[in-house]
Amino acid sequence: MTSLFDSHHAVLDAAVAALTDRGFWSPFSEVPSGKIYGETAREDGAAAYAALLNTPFALPGHPESGRVGAELSPWGPALGITYPAADVPSLIAAAKAAAGAWAGATPEARVGVCLEILARLNRISFTMAHAVSHTTGQAFAMAFQAGGPHAQDRGLEAVAMAWAEMTRFPATARWEKPQGKAAPILLEKHWTLVPRGVALVIGCQTFPTWNSYPGLFASLATGNPVIVKPHPAAVLPLALTVQVARAVLVEAGFPADVVLLAADAAGAEITQDLVRHKDVAIIDYTGSTAFGDWVRRHAGEAQVFTEEAGVNSITLAATDDFAATCANIAFSLALYSGQMCTAPQNIYIPAGGIDTDQGHQSFEAVAQALASAVDALLDDPARAAGLCGAIANPATLARVTAARSLGRVIRDSTALPEGRSATPLMLAVRADETGVYEAECFGPISFLIAVPDADTGIALAADLARRKGAITAALYDTDEDRIARAIDAFAQAGVNLSINLTGNIFVNQSAAFSDFHVTGANPAGNASLTDTAFVASRFRRAMWRRPTAA
């Protein structure tokens, strides 16, 4: 069972080193190139995806009492795929039956299996890209990266952190306590890693793999069986993941039910019953704050890790490259139509304007420049579709329509020729209209907030993050003293801050092995991907000891 560990050992060593270095590293290429994935990989992936449509999804040996599935692509067609469905008692019983063999395996064996699962997922990245695109609305290029290699990076990061924590201390020790003239006390001590129990991963619709893989692989590597609960509108990406995982487990001599799929139907979800079940010991949840609150209230003694909603901000204080600043912000607003947990919503701009390399710009001039930058970015329909993608949930379109009345329209949202779509809606509001902009408006909606000065904008953004939650914040400024104050303010609010981003790096992006995604220090989430705390409480150490001869 250690052969898989041996075959992937070099990658694991590099991953563990990357955790410490925090520089750029990835074993999974984000470039959808035939030179990397095989000359026919693109065509093979498209064919594999097409073969899944309008058929029963195969999970051999999986508990099944019926079939569910009603996924509709935000790009148009119905997927027509059905998945095995089982009730909560059956899923829990299957997970518990498989738990002993998995917990009894060595860390090397479990980590080897996890690494092989990730390697095989990487090989089907083109198939996964189609699955992600047609369940989330992400354009193909983004779906390939975020749903494939970037998600695999996050899964590997969790495995590497789990391995580091499981091997941080020795498994055995010789303990010798001097007793003066008497013979010393000699003990041999042994420590066993004890998994916490059945783990539940609750996936979201917009990033089903990227947000689920850290919890899935952290629990799996540390010896816990995992029930994967996908969003009813985005089952396929996680079903493919479970399919690959179960195949590798069986080949390695473990029960397939170490990983299970909890597919259900909209309106008849089994999520609440899973959360409340006494045998669920770990819960990883990504989604709204409202349901996150419910999960925390009803999870009993389970260890809960959450990534929830927040209101992300940009403060525009000054810039020495006005055009590049506007272009960078425009990209962040348009990317995947604002359907990212890292997307900015509130843009704080001094009412008196800002100093730039193009001279002093009034609030109105800044607002119009940002709107014009979005227009320029989306002037080509093909590029616009590739950048904005489609809207995952019809409720987001309704939110855009309703939001038009919340402020003065600087840039109106329009539909694109492809898919269920909406380009960025930009609204100007006053700083005292807190009831308008302090709530999360998920989707392509942003508020340009006129504040008395830049320091007030920083203070308002940091305070909102502290109270309501935020995952990202950005600042554009040329005053080093004010930048230092902002760094302290956002750190105290538990928000990751980006300063003066221009060019091909954006506040939306979070890099595995370098960026700790979510701090866990404000209401946007109680966990961080992927730090020590994210994996360490998924298992415990139990000791046995006895006297030994000198």
Side-chain angles (χ1 to χ4, degrees):
M1 292 186 185
T2 59
S3 59
L4 291 176
F5 181 85
D6 293 338
S7 64
H8 296 293
H9 197 272
V11 171
L12 179 63
D13 286 347
V16 172
L19 292 176
T20 301
D21 296 341
R22 312 311 297 184
F24 172 78
W25 181 79
S26 171
F28 304 123
S29 176
E30 65 178 9
V31 181
S33 168
K35 294 180 179 178
I36 298 169
Y37 287 92
E39 292 300 328
T40 63
R42 183 179 293 271
E43 293 76 13
D44 292 344
Y49 170 74
L52 293 169
L53 301 177
N54 302 305
T55 62
F57 191 87
L59 285 177
H62 194 280
E64 181 176 344
S65 58
R67 285 265 157 178
V68 296
E71 293 159 297
L72 295 172
S73 172
W75 299 102
L79 273 61
I81 305 172
T82 60
Y83 305 91
D87 59 25
V88 170
S90 298
L91 291 168
I92 296 292
K96 290 175 68 176
W102 188 240
T106 65
E108 288 84 356
R110 293 197 301 259
V111 167
V113 167
C114 289
L115 295 172
E116 178 65 17
I117 293 170
L118 287 164
R120 294 194 192 183
L121 287 171
N122 181 250
R123 292 201 287 270
I124 65 165
S125 290
F126 280 93
T127 305
M128 185 67 77
H130 288 284
V132 170
S133 179
H134 284 287
T135 52
T136 70
Q138 294 175 28
F140 182 84
M142 183 178 188
F144 180 90
Q145 293 182 342
H150 291 177
Q152 296 148 19
D153 280 343
R154 281 297 185 189
L156 177 58
E157 182 181 40
V159 173
M161 186 64 78
W163 172 254
E165 287 305 306
M166 289 189 293
T167 58
R168 181 180 297 276
F169 305 109
T172 63
R174 176 184 170 89
W175 190 79
E176 182 172 343
K177 181 178 179 180
Q179 295 290 295
K181 294 181 180 180
I185 300 173
L186 296 175
L187 295 176
E188 60 172 298
K189 299 187 177 185
H190 300 257
W191 288 273
T192 301
L193 304 183
V194 183
R196 195 176 185 99
V198 177
L200 170 65
V201 175
I202 304 172
C204 65
Q205 181 179 6
T206 49
F207 288 90
T209 57
W210 198 98
N211 281 112
S212 297
Y213 280 11
L216 167 60
F217 283 99
S219 286
L220 204 58
T222 52
N224 306 280
V226 183
I227 299 173
V228 179
K229 166 62 186 73
H231 190 286
V235 182
L236 183 56
L238 289 178
L240 286 167
T241 303
V242 170
Q243 185 183 63
V244 169
R246 289 171 65 87
V248 174
L249 283 161
V250 170
E251 290 173 21
F254 294 105
D257 288 346
V258 169
V259 179
L260 293 149
L261 183 73
D264 57 12
E269 292 90 347
I270 62 174
T271 318
Q272 293 186 352
D273 291 338
L274 283 166
V275 168
R276 287 184 294 222
H277 200 284
K278 62 181 179 61
D279 290 325
V280 170
I282 304 169
I283 300 172
D284 287 276
Y285 166 73
T286 302
S288 72
T289 299
F291 193 68
D293 288 342
W294 187 94
V295 169
R296 284 189 294 274
R297 289 195 306 271
H298 294 86
E301 297 181 1
Q303 178 71 55
V304 178
F305 302 91
T306 71
E307 179 190 325
E308 302 171 55
V311 182
N312 303 318
S313 70
I314 298 174
T315 303
L316 268 172
T319 176
D320 56 11
D321 194 338
F322 187 50
T325 293
C326 291
N328 191 276
I329 294 173
F331 189 96
S332 292
L333 296 176
L335 184 61
Y336 188 31
S337 299
Q339 299 171 104
M340 303 177 71
C341 61
T342 52
Q345 173 181 300
N346 291 353
I347 304 176
Y348 297 88
I349 306 168
I354 64 172
D355 291 331
T356 79
D357 58 316
Q358 298 181 24
H360 189 81
Q361 302 291 320
S362 67
F363 175 91
E364 193 64 28
V366 174
Q368 293 301 326
L370 289 171
S372 295
V374 173
D375 289 340
L377 186 66
L378 304 182
D379 63 352
D380 177 74
R383 182 172 61 184
L387 182 59
C388 295
I391 300 295
N393 193 323
T396 302
L397 285 183
R399 190 177 303 114
V400 172
T401 299
R404 286 189 173 95
S405 63
L406 297 179
R408 178 167 58 91
V409 175
I410 298 296
R411 184 191 186 279
D412 202 359
S413 175
T414 58
L416 295 170
E418 296 182 57
R420 183 171 57 218
S421 59
T423 64
L425 171 67
M426 303 170 67
L427 304 166
V429 298
R430 302 187 311 272
D432 61 359
E433 295 180 280
T434 54
V436 171
Y437 64 80
E438 284 199 344
E440 184 196 30
C441 288
F442 185 77
I445 303 165
S446 58
F447 298 99
L448 281 56
I449 305 163
V451 293
D453 51 55
D455 277 297
T456 301
I458 292 167
L460 288 173
D463 179 66
L464 181 58
R466 187 181 299 107
R467 291 185 290 111
K468 298 290 186 70
I471 294 175
T472 64
L475 172 68
Y476 289 87
D477 204 351
T478 56
D479 184 327
E480 290 298 329
D481 290 337
R482 190 164 52 210
I483 289 173
R485 294 195 297 273
I487 289 171
D488 182 66
F490 286 109
Q492 293 302 314
V495 188
N496 294 320
L497 176 65
S498 298
I499 302 167
N500 294 334
L501 294 186
T502 57
N504 198 31
I505 183 69
F506 308 96
V507 69
N508 318 58
Q509 297 169 323
S510 179
F513 300 101
S514 186
D515 297 329
F516 291 103
H517 176 70
V518 189
T519 64
N522 68 53
N526 71 357
S528 181
L529 308 180
T530 304
D531 62 5
T532 301
F534 188 73
V535 300
S537 60
R538 296 174 193 256
F539 69 96
R540 290 290 186 259
R541 287 179 171 83
M543 179 186 72
W544 65 268
R545 61 185 180 176
R546 65 184 175 189
T548 186

